[in-house]
Amino acid sequence: MKLNHSEYKQRNITIWNEIAPRYHKRWASVNQGPFQSTPKLIELLDIKRADKIFDLACGTGVVINKIKKKLGRSGYAVGGDTSITAIKIAKKWNPLQSNLDFVNVDAENFYFSKPFDIITCQFALFFFPNAQKALENIKKNLKNTGKIGITVHGNPKKVPFFSSIFDAVTEFIPDYVPLGSPDLDRFSTKSALQREIKKAGFTKIKVKDFIFKFNPGTFEIYWRNYLKYVAKPLKEKLDSLDTTRKKELRDLVRENIKPYTLKNKTIEFPWEVLILTAKNKI
Ligand SMILES: C[S@@+](CC[C@H](N)C(=O)[O-])C[C@H]1O[C@@H](n2cnc3c(N)ncnc32)[C@H](O)[C@@H]1O
């Protein structure tokens, strides 16, 4: 079965509503691995106290959590996401104040009555099947002098946390990611990301790449946590393998992580993250 655009989006909403609490606990609420990027993004944007900022696909609120500390009373921040569970967590973590809000919006379809100085989007652009439509909306909702900050994961070869499992799993379960899903790696190189943003008409585009480290523990802990944190539809596919295939899959993942295994048997992954900044018009 091939998902169409809206089926993919609906599936993604269901998945994010299910995994948001685990995602928050494991990633967003702790500045580990790729999330070392959040302070870098804030630094690159040079936020002023009066800035009006929108964080698109805000998830459980990690970027807003840092932005709000930079704002004075005349500035404000809004986070928007399609997952209501993520928004609930974001609100709990960032108790509402007069200059802070979270709203349920789709990246490909949002409009605010007042334009923003800055729009951020961390680890989400690749989830939007029509990324150009999302970028068009970002542009429309930015002041002419406004700027954007977009963070994505780097090249899969430089993010072995994902690829060590993903490359192995797709050998065993070719439809692990359903047909019709967007390619989540399509903006994972500097040139591809830059091209997409340029196509949308932004100017003064700069992309910085960072290599962070992530230590997920031993192979056993890494594998156990993957099974614990993965979304339900994917877990069901993994569970459908018989015992022998499951063991073969596990062995293949173990093989893939060898280059990153230290003498003490724990893993140390590099994790490439790209942060792009650009201006709207001026
Ligand atoms: C990996 S999380 C990133 C969340 C947050 N920016 C962070 O850094 O933790 C991806 C987020 O994108 C959201 N998302 C996916 N598709 C979306 C869409 N079309 N519009 C708005 N949000 C979307 C998901 O609900 C999820 O919260």
Side-chain angles (χ1 to χ4, degrees), residues 16 23 35 57-59 62 81-83 105-107 122-124 127-128:
W16 279 100
Y23 173 82
F35 284 84
C58 63
V62 65
D81 201 283
T82 39
S83 161
V105 295
D106 181 341
Q122 176 168 277
F123 302 136
F127 282 126
F128 312 150

Side-chain angles (χ1 to χ4, degrees), residues 81-131:
D81 201 283
T82 39
S83 161
I84 45 167
T85 313
I87 288 177
K88 260 189 211 155
I89 298 169
K91 282 184 173 169
K92 203 168 164 197
W93 192 26
N94 299 284
L96 288 190
Q97 49 195 60
S98 59
N99 63 352
L100 192 59
D101 200 5
F102 291 95
V103 291
N104 188 206
V105 295
D106 181 341
E108 295 174 10
N109 184 22
F110 69 90
Y111 179 74
F112 291 89
S113 55
K114 284 189 185 158
F116 293 93
D117 296 292
I118 298 177
I119 297 186
T120 52
C121 183
Q122 176 168 277
F123 302 136
L125 184 70
F126 40 78
F127 282 126
F128 312 150
N130 189 346

Side-chain angles (χ1 to χ4, degrees), residues 26-60:
R26 185 165 191 208
W27 298 110
S29 61
V30 284
N31 278 339
Q32 62 173 342
F35 284 84
Q36 293 168 74
S37 68
T38 317
K40 303 275 182 211
L41 171 70
I42 304 293
E43 206 179 296
L44 288 169
L45 287 170
D46 185 25
I47 296 171
K48 306 279 182 289
R49 289 177 67 73
D51 278 345
K52 325 286 184 254
I53 306 181
F54 178 53
D55 182 39
L56 177 61
C58 63
T60 61

Side-chain angles (χ1 to χ4, degrees), residues 154-161 163 209 211 260 269-273:
N155 194 297
K157 286 195 179 67
K158 295 178 184 170
V159 190
F161 172 85
S163 57
D209 73 300
I211 305 280
Y260 313 103
F269 285 130
W271 199 314
E272 185 185 48
V273 171

Side-chain angles (χ1 to χ4, degrees), residues 211-279:
I211 305 280
F212 300 117
K213 279 183 185 160
F214 180 61
N215 301 76
T218 59
F219 166 73
E220 283 70 24
I221 297 172
Y222 168 58
W223 183 239
R224 200 184 322 127
N225 274 334
Y226 181 73
L227 299 176
K228 184 172 156 191
Y229 288 93
V230 73
K232 223 164 145 192
L234 300 179
K235 179 74 167 51
E236 281 166 6
K237 286 189 184 175
L238 290 165
D239 286 343
S240 71
L241 293 174
D242 66 34
T243 319
T244 314
R245 297 283 287 162
K246 257 187 213 156
K247 184 174 176 312
E248 285 168 1
L249 167 61
R250 194 175 187 274
D251 289 345
L252 184 54
V253 177
R254 189 196 286 275
E255 197 57 34
N256 288 349
I257 57 106
K258 270 192 182 154
Y260 313 103
T261 305
L262 307 174
K263 279 206 181 93
N264 67 5
K265 300 232 165 58
T266 64
I267 306 168
E268 182 165 282
F269 285 130
W271 199 314
E272 185 185 48
V273 171
L274 307 178
I275 305 183
L276 176 145
T277 53
K279 294 260 197 173

